[in-house]
Amino acid sequence: MRVGIIGTGSMGSVLIEAFIRSGAINPEQMLVTNRTIGKAELLADSYPGLQVARSNKEVASLTELLFICVKPQEFKPVIEEIQAHLSPSQLLVSITSPVLLRHLEDHLPCKIAKVIPSITNYVLSGVTLCIYSDRCTPEDKELLENVLSHISSPIRVSEQYTRISSDLSSCGPAFLAYFVQKFVEAAVEETGIAEEEATVLASEMLLGTGKLLTTGGFSPASLQKRVAVPGGITAEGLRLMEKELHGVFHDLIRATHAKYNEDVEKVESRLYGTKVD
Ligand SMILES: NC(=O)c1ccc[n+]([C@@H]2O[C@H](COP(=O)([O-])OP(=O)(O)OC[C@H]3O[C@@H](n4cnc5c(N)ncnc54)[C@H](OP(=O)(O)O)[C@@H]3O)[C@@H](O)[C@H]2O)c1
């Protein structure tokens, strides 16, 4: 099976590198391209055997499984370039939440899926969200999830919950990194501890907490209860967070969804020339 990647920016290159390092796909099986071709060529320099195509239509014509890793506003020219070169047997995977399955089905003759990766896939961890159109067969789903399982835990979600699932799995690393950064900055400012030391402590804590919540048998609530003994120091910190952060996560989810709705509207006006319901 030949695998194509259009767009070797931040997430496209994470996928390429993770696929190769995990052994999911050999470099020789992969044909990649990018608008600024030098970026794809740099990757090929690092991974001997990785092939670079000069155009999107070449990738579309020559691959059975094709990942489109461009931003929502960059979709239209890509679709226009590849649509005549795709057939119903090919499986096209978009990694962009605001481009909906039906947008792609309206414009392309092939099978369509969406996969929302996460930067955590770079270290062969975290989840990839999988969303399938009705054109996909059980075999297509198995094939895709088999490839993705080398770099992540693939999890099927319905398109309705793509945005909130992405907030948790794909935006989440940035949100938690923000939390760590602020925690460390405050630690340095309040106590004078070295930033490097505080960062190691907080990052190792995050890794261990993730393990406790995935394989350690704890839920978020039971973990807090276990650590925060009544009247103790952790309980004091939790009490303050409960007071100060009340409502923040609701606001955060509303903000990401408002931006998502805006992006879907922009995609529709680009793809259909006008807004659609
Ligand atoms: N970053 C994340 O953690 C993450 C996680 C999950 C999903 N995503 C989704 O992944 C998508 C891409 O995000 P990103 O962070 O990877 O963006 P990015 O770094 O800007 O990468 C996009 C790449 O697409 C290339 N491109 C644009 N138009 C093209 C065209 N017509 N033909 C070929 N290549 C083209 C760009 O080329 P140039 O070099 O010329 O600009 C760029 O390298 C977004 O929709 C995002 O929502 C991202």
Side-chain angles (χ1 to χ4, degrees):
M1 178 184 63
R2 287 198 88 188
V3 179
I5 310 250
I6 292 178
T8 61
S10 171
M11 204 26 79
S13 57
V14 162
L15 284 179
I16 292 167
E17 296 191 5
F19 284 147
I20 293 174
R21 283 190 287 110
S22 68
I25 307 171
N26 297 323
E28 295 77 14
Q29 277 178 276
M30 253 191 271
L31 185 59
V32 308
T33 195
N34 192 65
R35 185 172 53 192
T36 307
I37 202 73
K39 258 195 212 170
E41 286 169 344
L42 268 182
L43 276 171
D45 288 345
S46 306
Y47 296 102
L50 185 70
Q51 294 163 54
V52 176
R54 293 277 133 198
S55 70
N56 294 333
K57 64 183 175 199
E58 192 183 339
V59 180
S61 317
L62 296 174
T63 57
E64 286 90 50
L65 174 60
L66 173 60
F67 289 85
I68 311 288
C69 306
V70 304
K71 289 184 185 146
Q73 65 270 24
E74 299 165 332
F75 250 85
K76 190 171 189 238
V78 175
I79 286 179
E80 286 173 349
E81 201 182 336
I82 64 178
Q83 61 193 167
H85 303 274
L86 291 167
S87 67
S89 66
Q90 288 167 288
L91 176 56
L92 179 139
V93 179
S94 157
I95 66 160
T96 301
S97 68
V99 178
L100 305 182
L101 293 172
R102 67 178 164 79
H103 297 152
L104 295 168
E105 283 195 321
D106 283 349
H107 290 85
L108 299 169
C110 55
K111 293 179 270 199
I112 308 285
K114 267 199 322 198
V115 161
I116 310 296
S118 164
I119 189 73
T120 54
N121 303 157
Y122 188 66
V123 286
L124 314 184
S125 184
V127 307
T128 39
L129 306 173
C130 301
I131 306 110
Y132 296 102
S133 80
D134 291 343
R135 289 185 197 162
C136 292
T137 63
E139 291 74 29
D140 295 322
K141 296 176 190 179
E142 199 183 324
L143 178 133
L144 185 58
E145 288 170 23
N146 188 21
V147 169
L148 294 172
S149 66
H150 287 82
I151 66 166
S152 64
S153 303
I155 293 187
R156 289 185 199 181
V157 291
S158 77
E159 192 162 43
Q160 179 192 0
Y161 294 116
T162 305
R163 185 60 258 151
I164 186 58
S165 305
S166 306
D167 283 2
L168 294 162
S169 67
S170 287
C171 304
F175 298 151
L176 278 189
Y178 175 86
F179 178 89
V180 168
Q181 185 191 355
K182 292 295 164 190
F183 203 0
V184 166
E185 279 172 9
V188 171
E189 283 166 25
E190 293 288 329
T191 72
I193 189 174
E195 184 180 336
E196 201 183 341
E197 193 182 345
T199 305
V200 169
L201 295 176
S203 305
E204 289 291 340
M205 171 278 293
L206 199 58
L207 181 64
T209 305
K211 287 183 181 168
L212 287 170
L213 292 175
T214 49
T215 56
F218 283 92
S219 68
S222 68
L223 184 53
Q224 288 173 65
K225 199 165 171 212
R226 177 69 183 271
V227 180
V229 294
I233 292 169
T234 309
E236 205 51 35
L238 280 177
R239 197 185 53 73
L240 179 111
M241 282 172 64
E242 184 68 24
K243 183 168 145 253
E244 297 293 329
L245 297 180
H246 183 75
V248 163
F249 296 100
H250 288 82
D251 288 347
L252 181 146
I253 288 166
R254 288 186 194 123
T256 58
H257 281 65
K259 174 73 170 91
Y260 168 75
N261 290 334
E262 208 181 281
D263 286 354
V264 171
E265 250 182 50
K266 283 188 191 151
V267 166
E268 290 186 340
S269 77
R270 281 198 180 94
L271 287 181
Y272 297 93
T274 171
K275 216 172 90 176
V276 297
D277 292 328

